Amino acid sequence: MAVRAAVAGASGYAGGELLRLLLAHPEVEIGALTGNSNAGQRLGALQPHLLPLADRVLEPTTPEILAGRDRPHDVVFLALPHGQSAAVAEQLGPDVLVVDMGADFRLKDAGDWEKFYGSPHAGTWPYGLPELPGARAALAGTKRIAVPGCYPTAVSLALFPAYAADLVEPEAVIVAASGTSGAGKAAKPHLLGSEVMGNMSPYGVGGAHRHTPEMIQNLSAAAGAPVTVSFTPTLAPMPRGILATCSAKAKAGVTAQTVRDAYAKAFADEPFVHLLPEGQWPATAAVYGSNAVQIQVACDEAAGRVIVISAIDNLAKGTAGGALQSMNIALGLDEATGLSTIGVAP
Amino acid sequence: MAVRAAVAGASGYAGGELLRLLLAHPEVEIGALTGNSNAGQRLGALQPHLLPLADRVLEPTTPEILAGRDRPHDVVFLALPHGQSAAVAEQLGPDVLVVDMGADFRLKDAGDWEKFYGSPHAGTWPYGLPELPGARAALAGTKRIAVPGCYPTAVSLALFPAYAADLVEPEAVIVAASGTSGAGKAAKPHLLGSEVMGNMSPYGVGGAHRHTPEMIQNLSAAAGAPVTVSFTPTLAPMPRGILATCSAKAKAGVTAQTVRDAYAKAFADEPFVHLLPEGQWPATAAVYGSNAVQIQVACDEAAGRVIVISAIDNLAKGTAGGALQSMNIALGLDEATGLSTIGVAP
Amino acid sequence: MAVRAAVAGASGYAGGELLRLLLAHPEVEIGALTGNSNAGQRLGALQPHLLPLADRVLEPTTPEILAGRDRPHDVVFLALPHGQSAAVAEQLGPDVLVVDMGADFRLKDAGDWEKFYGSPHAGTWPYGLPELPGARAALAGTKRIAVPGCYPTAVSLALFPAYAADLVEPEAVIVAASGTSGAGKAAKPHLLGSEVMGNMSPYGVGGAHRHTPEMIQNLSAAAGAPVTVSFTPTLAPMPRGILATCSAKAKAGVTAQTVRDAYAKAFADEPFVHLLPEGQWPATAAVYGSNAVQIQVACDEAAGRVIVISAIDNLAKGTAGGALQSMNIALGLDEATGLSTIGVAP
Amino acid sequence: MAVRAAVAGASGYAGGELLRLLLAHPEVEIGALTGNSNAGQRLGALQPHLLPLADRVLEPTTPEILAGRDRPHDVVFLALPHGQSAAVAEQLGPDVLVVDMGADFRLKDAGDWEKFYGSPHAGTWPYGLPELPGARAALAGTKRIAVPGCYPTAVSLALFPAYAADLVEPEAVIVAASGTSGAGKAAKPHLLGSEVMGNMSPYGVGGAHRHTPEMIQNLSAAAGAPVTVSFTPTLAPMPRGILATCSAKAKAGVTAQTVRDAYAKAFADEPFVHLLPEGQWPATAAVYGSNAVQIQVACDEAAGRVIVISAIDNLAKGTAGGALQSMNIALGLDEATGLSTIGVAP
């Protein structure tokens, strides 16, 4: 019997990508689709690429609708602005699986939350990055999932094996480029096509980006000790994709082979994370639209650093694909159900 | 039992897109993959987005390999440069379905072929644009398919209903913009990223483009009388997509409603061609990676013209998706098997 | 002694481009810069590419400030939303040169204005497209200039010689692609980078675009008889540039040579319009940032049409450059002062 | 009397940008233009944006032509592939100013040259980055100039003040994104528009990029002690621009204010380097086509690092503009002659 899924926030980029993937998921039936300012509009006008849903009309985001009026939903995905999920989630019963694609339940430390988001901390849910040590066990059977941020997905997958294997010093330096969909669909002047085409620019420099504490949380857990993160995000002239260049000082005795072996072992059984053959480098175009993660490692002996580069699709593995992967685990389905490692290129 | 398919020319853009779609086709098993200059290379290096095929190695394009050494292939796709398909095809037996994605067997008029391609005419195969009148009957059970050109796909679907319903004069004016993948993967200076980004430019102006006689052939057939075509292709700064703006003088008494009704009727049962609701216009981004065709019509009373605009993905419906759709018909499968109307956006 | 120039609407794209060009104009001194919602802000934050003006602060758009408080302005440029210029202009004295970069004073026919803009017609000023027959005489010494629309600039230059020389039938068909800056800097969802990158889409189809009557006005004047225009604008994934593909049925006896000769003659003495050598086609990248116009002609004998393609920079020759060129004429300066035919490429 | 300048390698991107700038230089007269495979072709076909030079024909790169047949050249610019400048330069007399835009004479250490370029070291010329300590004195009156690499320009300007003021530890970590013109005009498959649009990818990871020793040379000189550099270049989907994100561990007691003060002082009198106001970040679009450098600094206290970000146009300040700036100094002209701080945006 099909899993019935509702999507709150179906008009945005995360909601749209989730619907694209749900349409291809063999076990899921799409239930209510809600929006706020867009309630009452045809989905065909808001998400013109989702032709099979073109005639669906957005409903308002209310507890009744998300619970399911005619038939209850088994899963409710929340693709809402940060800080709005908690209020909606607490009105949903304990038996429905709630998958929060926002930030509300990602952080364990209330102080971090308050510092970066400026509101009271709502709590912490099982973290939807199955590849992290221990994550799958926490996700199995859970009724609440906090989907990771897009940058933390790319960065944590790139660096956790190095920290788990004690290969590098606890001071990570990360520069990542993201496509513009990561900034959402709200119309802001600096996100206009005229502004972003032909342009690379940084933002949130110096530790100001909200994804920083999430990376620290993940990498410190892998290291078993505090890790500092210097994170610089940049906006790249493309709609999708994150390329994360991550590095840290190599510990004594670490060689290119040590690093390669550790990563090969870490990802040997992972269905979505691919350590590329030597000589091939990650490219965001290669994972466009797919749930795959491309990873490559290097050891710069002269500079004494291990460099790890990862490429993901920020909307797929970085948001909606990661959400579905975790949902599959929570529901006891095969983890890869409905998810693809095939990109759309060129 | 699976349909076993070989692909000649697996390293190019058309071949890569075909493989992407074949991987998602539930009835197909991928057999031999061949290339010429790239024979011996891993597909992972040539098509890094096709992760499930990364370790496959390209073989040379020989009759033995295309026939299938261990087990015979049921279908052979030819994604070869124009003029090379005939020699390969004649070495394949009459029982194997040969789907030519090149131009060799599209034109009925040998003079047209010789004028535009400069070599002897190889013949004419059933034409793989199922939506054209009579096309499905010719494709059912055939062992030879000529896949249409990408521009003729976009243009013929946009205009054939107007000609079939006798709404417009037999002088079509077409300006189309194509993404750069239409020009293939051979490295040429004018196709460098530095040249194409931020740039719109025309080519093959004044009737010089090889797709012109193919459009004339299709539209004249629909009209039952000769149609002239003024076709101007332009290169747009995007990897994929064709937006075709097509128009012709309206015949007396033709109104916006007449046109809309004719198109609604023509495409009422088509799984892939979507006449958009009034007020919504085709966009190449909405069909990115999908087999869908978006169409919208307008009637400019002041100028006395009917304007029809279509958007397709040149590699999908315009090449590889169209090839699969026709293959499905030829093999007696449901026409939409393995094909999607869902685009990847943004 | 320097020409002192004020710019109303200095925070937008047209205003920014005008300032870029004014900074390079040897006879101009930049006076007041005004905005409305942006008054009080540093220009460095609004137009970060104009480093020499970074510390200038925008003032409100008032008659006193535009007249010049300390010293009077000789020229006032109005880069305001359509319909707002008339009210501002009537408060400026008859001795100051007012250059309206909006649409308010372009059209001669009040009915056209009201139909397309929905407000009372403000009047008609000398039209700032110097290359049109008779335009320079009307501009010399004038105190009021209506700068043409960007599309009408590209299209009128492409087609007026054909109409002036009676080479084509009075039914023009035009499809043009524009960069996104033509849509301005106001943040709208469909202009987000995520939406426009990788996307070609039409708008204002079927005669709905406001630039249509302006084209008809120009081409009919050149023909000495009414010309109809079927105009389809499309939005292209690039910040700047217009590529206009224009065609009309050839009159009897017209050959490729007739056309070429007419165009060579029409533009022989023009400093900014370049009929390209045979075999070379216009490209928007080649005129990026310049006041140049690239034109090429073709005669499609099979289709019986003359095709003319033009490329301009919509913000330069299409708006701010055209404004300066006309200002130069009005002030008795050399027409090309401060204007360049050199593009920035790649 | 005008400075007469020849350009060897006039068909490439560096040569084209140099010509664009030379056309705007009031003291320069353009002499011979040479190419190799392109000798005999019109410049209009090769550099269609340089309309004033469209009818110039490329000559072969010979000593006689570069010396000047009718009248001697005062300056010869070499925009040749790496390793080819030395042979050409030694045939030019000691009185002509030779400006090498290639790598041949940048490095002081012969071992570095041989390791990264694989050929014998040709020597070391005065280094054309005037903003570095001592550079102007070495350039004044010189007859030989080695123009820096584009990445070393962006990175050295970003970090030398931090090292000169002893603010950071001698281990720099740099991730930079470059537009595709940095890879040149030679047609290679991975540089096709279809490949680069929508794509971010790294290359030369782990210290393999040839610009690494040049950065080490500059930063070590500023520090007065060896500095290690971990450099990761990435290819961004834009034609031009470099955004360099540079960081190093802060020394004890260094604060945001210390850093800001040091940078304000270092660039106080620089005509082209702009330390942005707090809160504004560099953007490659803001320096498009200009010789300006945008710089911003941040101090990440939690991570203990100083972050400096710079944006340049790789072809302008990063190559041709830097070459002209140094030529001006060598010839005793005002350093900013013919160079602009105004970008072309959007």
Side-chain angles (χ1 to χ4, degrees):
Chain A
M1 205 185 66
V3 173
R4 224 172 127 71
V7 179
S11 64
Y13 289 144
E17 181 71 355
L18 181 67
L19 289 172
R20 183 177 78 84
L21 299 177
L22 288 175
L23 281 165
H25 194 295
E27 308 292 335
V28 171
E29 178 188 298
I30 296 176
L33 307 181
T34 79
N36 280 326
S37 54
N38 296 307
Q41 291 190 48
R42 286 178 67 250
L43 199 68
L46 299 165
Q47 308 276 20
H49 59 300
L50 302 177
L51 282 170
L53 299 173
D55 292 327
R56 294 287 296 268
V57 172
L58 287 200
E59 300 182 88
T61 305
T62 67
E64 295 71 32
I65 287 168
L66 289 182
R69 277 180 303 199
D70 307 327
R71 285 168 43 204
H73 296 116
D74 304 298
V75 187
V76 175
F77 291 93
L78 304 180
L80 302 171
H82 297 317
Q84 299 189 3
S85 297
V88 174
E90 69 185 18
Q91 297 187 283
L92 296 169
D95 293 336
V96 61
L97 172 57
V98 182
V99 183
D100 183 20
M101 297 162 78
D104 296 31
F105 297 96
R106 291 172 190 160
L107 296 181
K108 293 180 178 164
D109 186 284
D112 278 348
W113 173 270
E114 283 157 24
K115 179 178 168 198
F116 280 88
Y117 292 88
S119 59
H121 189 221
T124 311
W125 287 356
Y127 191 70
L129 194 52
E131 294 84 357
L132 288 186
R136 285 188 175 94
L139 291 168
T142 184
K143 290 299 182 186
R144 295 291 185 269
I145 298 172
V147 178
C150 51
Y151 285 123
T153 296
V155 168
S156 303
L157 293 175
L159 282 184
F160 90 81
Y163 282 110
D166 198 27
L167 305 179
V168 293
E169 300 289 342
E171 296 172 323
V173 177
I174 294 146
V175 179
S178 173
T180 53
S181 61
K185 209 172 181 173
K188 298 173 187 166
H190 76 285
L191 296 175
L192 284 172
S194 301
E195 301 293 319
V196 299
M197 288 186 282
N199 198 14
M200 289 284 309
S201 60
Y203 62 103
V205 185
H209 195 284
R210 289 170 164 183
H211 286 174
T212 309
E214 195 179 338
M215 296 176 196
I216 291 173
Q217 176 174 296
N218 293 342
L219 299 182
S220 298
V227 170
T228 66
V229 166
S230 165
F231 173 52
T232 306
T234 64
L235 192 66
M238 57 189 192
R240 290 183 178 221
I242 287 178
L243 186 80
T245 302
C246 313
S247 72
K249 234 169 145 161
K251 289 205 168 175
V254 168
T255 65
Q257 197 57 47
T258 325
V259 177
R260 192 151 194 90
D261 289 348
Y263 277 74
K265 192 174 160 196
F267 298 131
D269 298 325
E270 287 298 340
F272 295 112
V273 188
H274 296 257
L275 178 65
L276 295 173
E278 288 187 64
Q280 187 177 352
W281 292 93
T284 62
V287 295
Y288 199 96
S290 102
N291 206 53
V293 182
Q294 290 193 332
I295 298 227
Q296 185 53 288
V297 295
C299 214
D300 183 336
E301 288 183 20
R305 293 184 79 85
V306 170
I307 298 116
V308 189
I309 300 182
S310 63
I312 64 167
D313 182 321
N314 59 305
L315 291 179
K317 175 61 177 168
T319 305
L324 270 190
Q325 187 182 348
S326 295
M327 177 202 81
N328 286 338
I329 296 172
L331 295 177
L333 299 171
D334 182 286
E335 183 175 334
T337 310
L339 294 168
S340 169
T341 58
I342 305 168
V344 184
Chain B
M1 205 187 64
V3 173
R4 222 171 129 72
V7 178
S11 64
Y13 289 144
E17 181 71 353
L18 181 67
L19 288 173
R20 182 177 78 84
L21 299 176
L22 288 175
L23 282 165
H25 195 294
E27 309 291 335
V28 170
E29 178 188 297
I30 297 176
L33 307 180
T34 78
N36 280 326
S37 53
N38 296 308
Q41 292 190 46
R42 287 177 67 249
L43 201 66
L46 299 165
Q47 308 275 19
H49 59 302
L50 302 176
L51 280 171
L53 299 173
D55 292 327
R56 295 286 297 268
V57 173
L58 288 199
E59 301 182 88
T61 304
T62 67
E64 295 71 33
I65 287 168
L66 289 181
R69 277 181 301 199
D70 307 328
R71 285 168 43 204
H73 296 116
D74 303 298
V75 188
V76 175
F77 291 93
L78 304 180
L80 303 172
H82 297 317
Q84 299 190 4
S85 297
V88 174
E90 68 186 16
Q91 297 186 282
L92 296 168
D95 294 336
V96 62
L97 172 56
V98 182
V99 183
D100 183 21
M101 299 163 78
D104 296 31
F105 299 95
R106 292 172 189 161
L107 296 181
K108 293 179 178 166
D109 187 285
D112 278 348
W113 173 270
E114 284 157 22
K115 179 178 168 199
F116 280 87
Y117 292 88
S119 59
H121 189 220
T124 311
W125 288 355
Y127 190 70
L129 195 52
E131 293 85 357
L132 289 186
R136 285 188 176 94
L139 289 168
T142 184
K143 291 297 183 187
R144 295 292 186 268
I145 297 171
V147 178
C150 50
Y151 285 122
T153 295
V155 168
S156 303
L157 293 175
L159 282 183
F160 90 82
Y163 281 110
D166 199 27
L167 305 179
V168 293
E169 299 290 343
E171 297 171 324
V173 177
I174 293 144
V175 179
S178 174
T180 53
S181 61
K185 207 172 182 173
K188 297 173 188 166
H190 76 285
L191 296 175
L192 284 173
S194 300
E195 300 294 317
V196 299
M197 287 186 282
N199 198 14
M200 290 285 307
S201 60
Y203 62 104
V205 185
H209 194 283
R210 290 171 164 182
H211 286 173
T212 308
E214 195 179 338
M215 296 176 195
I216 291 173
Q217 175 175 294
N218 293 343
L219 299 181
S220 297
V227 171
T228 66
V229 166
S230 165
F231 173 53
T232 306
T234 65
L235 192 65
M238 56 190 192
R240 289 184 179 222
I242 287 178
L243 185 81
T245 301
C246 313
S247 73
K249 236 171 145 160
K251 289 206 167 174
V254 168
T255 65
Q257 197 56 48
T258 326
V259 178
R260 192 153 193 90
D261 289 349
Y263 277 74
K265 192 174 160 197
F267 297 130
D269 298 324
E270 287 298 340
F272 295 112
V273 188
H274 296 256
L275 179 64
L276 294 173
E278 288 188 63
Q280 187 177 352
W281 292 93
T284 62
V287 296
Y288 199 96
S290 101
N291 205 52
V293 182
Q294 290 194 331
I295 299 229
Q296 185 53 289
V297 295
C299 213
D300 183 337
E301 289 183 20
R305 295 185 78 85
V306 171
I307 298 114
V308 189
I309 300 183
S310 63
I312 64 166
D313 181 321
N314 60 304
L315 290 180
K317 176 61 178 169
T319 305
L324 270 190
Q325 188 182 348
S326 295
M327 176 203 81
N328 285 340
I329 297 172
L331 296 177
L333 300 171
D334 182 287
E335 183 174 334
T337 310
L339 293 167
S340 170
T341 59
I342 305 167
V344 184
Chain C
M1 203 187 66
V3 172
R4 221 171 130 73
V7 178
S11 64
Y13 289 143
E17 181 71 353
L18 181 67
L19 288 173
R20 183 178 78 84
L21 298 177
L22 288 175
L23 282 165
H25 194 294
E27 309 291 336
V28 171
E29 179 187 297
I30 296 175
L33 307 181
T34 79
N36 282 327
S37 55
N38 296 308
Q41 292 190 44
R42 288 177 67 248
L43 200 67
L46 298 164
Q47 307 276 18
H49 60 299
L50 302 176
L51 281 171
L53 299 172
D55 292 327
R56 295 286 298 268
V57 172
L58 287 200
E59 300 183 88
T61 304
T62 68
E64 296 71 34
I65 286 168
L66 289 181
R69 277 181 303 199
D70 307 328
R71 287 167 43 203
H73 296 116
D74 304 297
V75 188
V76 175
F77 291 91
L78 304 179
L80 303 171
H82 298 317
Q84 299 190 4
S85 297
V88 174
E90 70 186 16
Q91 296 187 284
L92 296 169
D95 294 336
V96 61
L97 172 57
V98 183
V99 183
D100 183 21
M101 298 162 77
D104 296 31
F105 299 97
R106 292 173 189 161
L107 295 182
K108 293 180 179 164
D109 187 283
D112 278 347
W113 174 270
E114 284 157 22
K115 179 178 167 199
F116 280 88
Y117 292 89
S119 60
H121 189 221
T124 311
W125 288 356
Y127 191 70
L129 194 53
E131 293 84 357
L132 288 187
R136 285 189 175 92
L139 290 168
T142 185
K143 292 297 184 189
R144 295 292 185 270
I145 298 171
V147 178
C150 51
Y151 285 122
T153 295
V155 168
S156 303
L157 293 175
L159 281 183
F160 91 81
Y163 282 109
D166 200 26
L167 305 179
V168 293
E169 300 291 342
E171 297 172 323
V173 177
I174 294 144
V175 179
S178 173
T180 53
S181 61
K185 208 172 181 172
K188 297 172 189 166
H190 75 286
L191 297 174
L192 284 173
S194 301
E195 300 293 318
V196 299
M197 288 186 282
N199 198 14
M200 290 285 308
S201 59
Y203 61 105
V205 185
H209 195 282
R210 290 170 164 184
H211 287 174
T212 309
E214 195 179 338
M215 297 177 196
I216 291 172
Q217 177 174 293
N218 293 343
L219 298 182
S220 297
V227 171
T228 64
V229 166
S230 165
F231 173 53
T232 307
T234 64
L235 192 66
M238 57 189 192
R240 291 184 176 221
I242 287 178
L243 186 81
T245 301
C246 312
S247 73
K249 234 169 144 161
K251 288 205 167 174
V254 168
T255 65
Q257 196 57 48
T258 326
V259 178
R260 190 149 196 94
D261 289 349
Y263 276 75
K265 193 174 160 197
F267 297 131
D269 298 325
E270 287 299 340
F272 295 112
V273 187
H274 296 257
L275 178 64
L276 294 173
E278 288 188 64
Q280 187 176 353
W281 292 94
T284 62
V287 296
Y288 199 97
S290 103
N291 206 52
V293 183
Q294 290 193 332
I295 298 226
Q296 185 55 287
V297 296
C299 215
D300 183 337
E301 289 183 20
R305 294 184 80 85
V306 171
I307 298 115
V308 189
I309 300 182
S310 64
I312 64 167
D313 182 321
N314 60 304
L315 290 179
K317 175 62 177 169
T319 305
L324 269 189
Q325 188 182 347
S326 294
M327 177 203 81
N328 285 339
I329 296 172
L331 296 177
L333 299 170
D334 181 286
E335 184 174 334
T337 310
L339 293 168
S340 168
T341 58
I342 304 169
V344 184
Chain D
M1 205 185 65
V3 173
R4 221 171 131 72
V7 178
S11 64
Y13 289 144
E17 180 71 354
L18 181 67
L19 289 172
R20 184 177 78 85
L21 299 177
L22 288 175
L23 282 165
H25 194 294
E27 309 291 336
V28 170
E29 180 188 297
I30 296 175
L33 307 180
T34 77
N36 280 327
S37 53
N38 296 308
Q41 292 190 46
R42 288 177 68 249
L43 200 66
L46 298 165
Q47 308 275 18
H49 60 299
L50 302 176
L51 281 171
L53 299 173
D55 292 328
R56 295 287 297 269
V57 172
L58 288 200
E59 300 183 89
T61 304
T62 66
E64 295 71 34
I65 286 168
L66 289 182
R69 275 180 304 199
D70 308 327
R71 285 167 44 204
H73 297 115
D74 303 299
V75 188
V76 175
F77 291 93
L78 305 180
L80 303 173
H82 298 318
Q84 299 190 4
S85 297
V88 174
E90 70 186 16
Q91 297 186 283
L92 297 168
D95 294 336
V96 61
L97 172 56
V98 182
V99 183
D100 183 21
M101 298 162 78
D104 296 30
F105 298 96
R106 291 172 190 161
L107 296 181
K108 293 180 177 163
D109 187 284
D112 278 348
W113 173 270
E114 284 157 23
K115 179 178 167 197
F116 280 87
Y117 292 88
S119 60
H121 189 221
T124 312
W125 288 356
Y127 190 70
L129 194 54
E131 293 84 357
L132 289 186
R136 285 187 175 94
L139 290 168
T142 184
K143 291 298 183 186
R144 295 291 184 269
I145 297 171
V147 178
C150 51
Y151 285 121
T153 295
V155 168
S156 303
L157 293 175
L159 281 184
F160 90 82
Y163 282 108
D166 199 26
L167 306 179
V168 293
E169 300 290 343
E171 297 172 323
V173 177
I174 295 145
V175 179
S178 174
T180 53
S181 61
K185 209 174 182 170
K188 297 173 189 166
H190 75 286
L191 297 174
L192 284 173
S194 300
E195 300 294 317
V196 299
M197 288 187 282
N199 199 13
M200 291 284 309
S201 59
Y203 61 105
V205 185
H209 195 283
R210 289 171 164 182
H211 285 174
T212 308
E214 195 179 338
M215 296 176 194
I216 291 173
Q217 176 175 294
N218 293 343
L219 298 181
S220 298
V227 171
T228 64
V229 166
S230 165
F231 173 52
T232 308
T234 64
L235 192 66
M238 56 189 193
R240 289 183 180 224
I242 287 178
L243 185 81
T245 301
C246 313
S247 73
K249 234 169 145 162
K251 288 205 167 175
V254 168
T255 66
Q257 197 57 48
T258 326
V259 177
R260 192 152 193 91
D261 290 349
Y263 276 75
K265 192 173 160 198
F267 297 130
D269 298 324
E270 287 299 338
F272 295 112
V273 188
H274 296 257
L275 179 64
L276 294 174
E278 289 187 63
Q280 187 177 352
W281 291 94
T284 62
V287 296
Y288 199 97
S290 102
N291 206 52
V293 183
Q294 290 193 333
I295 298 228
Q296 185 53 287
V297 295
C299 213
D300 183 336
E301 288 183 22
R305 295 185 78 85
V306 171
I307 298 116
V308 189
I309 300 183
S310 63
I312 64 167
D313 183 322
N314 60 305
L315 290 179
K317 176 61 177 170
T319 305
L324 270 188
Q325 187 181 347
S326 295
M327 177 202 80
N328 286 339
I329 296 172
L331 295 177
L333 299 170
D334 182 287
E335 183 174 333
T337 310
L339 293 169
S340 168
T341 59
I342 306 167
V344 184

